Amino acid sequence: MASITPSYDREGEHIGWKASVRRRGFPPQYQTFRTRKEAEAWAVVIESEMTRGVWRDRSESEGTTLAECMDRYLLEVVPTKKGGRREVDYVNQWKARPIAHLYMSSVRGKDVAAAMRDMEAEGKGANTIRLHLALLSHLFKVARTEWGMEAISNPVESVRKPRLPQGRDRRLVGDEECRLLAACQSVNPELAAIVRFAIETAMRQGEIMGLAWDAVNLAQRTVTLNETKNGTKRVVPLSAAACKVLSELPRRIDGKVWAYGQEGVKYAFPAACRRAGIKDLRFHDLRHEATSRLFEKGLNLMQVAAITGHKTLQMLKRYTHLRAEDLARMLDRARP
């Protein structure tokens, strides 16, 4: 039977109501509430679950805050995930929000929705918010399956996710490629080589900048990527132009292909675009450009996916922006 008793602090002040549920075959359950009505409602739920055989121990989730779970997630889970450095920042941002002070058992969809509104007010984009939500959702999944919090539900599942904007369709137009390469050449010849290589291979910026000579086989015209964004090894075929870029580079003592690092390109590429008078072009747009060119060369879906490393048609479509005039020429070539 459940019992509801008043709860007092050390000075004898009434601070709430303590609900106790004792039933044979189950550990005693205790919880303190501000009002007697809340205590009675909680006791009814616990007794009903015990009667129906669906009760789960809530003591772990009712005594652990989201912030404490974030710390544990940072220690146990993040180091095992690819891209963990970025998730460290996500964890710290979650810990700074009001929701972090709630106990795991009390986090509800409305709390997550409030955090989403705060993120929108801070100027975060839809995709960034979805990445934050993905981390929170995975934390609740781990808490349920590995940390003894089977009774909690995942509050992320009950909120509406922000709609992703339509994928960028920015491609090089007119003489932009020539202007861009000329500007890169004036900044640093290696920067121009990096841009040419990106346009020829459709590789990600991180894959290009992390390239080492032991992954390059100019005889077979391939680059082997053992570490990729999706965790799958990929062998990228090299066009004659891509091979020419690499063959003209000096060999470095440290084994790296480029003297530039990611941070260097992060600042040098926008500077080259400004010098060339090119607006709204990001380095990642070169991957879109290269992927689209592969289709325009006549490669089929599976061939392009094998080169770019996209695992789903949906993602490949977001990276492909075919020009109508190029498709028209392909139709003419296809005529019998």
Side-chain angles (χ1 to χ4, degrees), residues 156-175:
V156 180
E157 295 176 353
S158 63
V159 299
R160 233 176 1 181
K161 313 303 185 294
R163 185 186 297 273
L164 285 175
Q166 189 173 358
R168 283 175 62 85
D169 59 359
R170 181 66 163 93
R171 291 193 61 180
L172 295 170
V173 296
D175 64 346

Side-chain angles (χ1 to χ4, degrees), residues 18 22 124 157 200 211 213 232 258 294 316:
K18 181 179 180 180
R22 293 177 176 273
K124 287 183 171 56
E157 295 176 353
E200 287 294 323
L211 202 57
W213 282 112
T232 303
W258 317 103
L294 292 174
L316 188 55

Side-chain angles (χ1 to χ4, degrees), residues 39-105:
E40 291 174 344
W42 176 85
V44 168
V45 170
I46 297 300
E47 288 187 318
S48 173
E49 290 179 352
M50 289 178 173
T51 300
R52 291 180 290 119
V54 296
W55 176 84
R56 295 290 184 273
D57 189 358
R58 291 178 171 83
S59 57
E60 189 76 23
S61 60
E62 289 176 347
T64 308
T65 65
L66 177 59
E68 291 170 334
C69 281
M70 284 289 176
D71 286 333
R72 185 173 179 180
Y73 189 87
L74 195 60
L75 184 66
E76 298 180 8
V77 182
V78 170
T80 68
K81 301 180 71 175
K82 194 169 184 65
R85 184 178 302 176
R86 180 178 62 181
E87 295 208 340
V88 170
D89 184 48
Y90 292 167
V91 167
N92 290 330
Q93 290 188 49
W94 275 116
K95 287 175 62 179
R97 299 189 183 282
I99 191 175
H101 302 295
L102 300 177
Y103 288 109
M104 291 290 286
S105 60

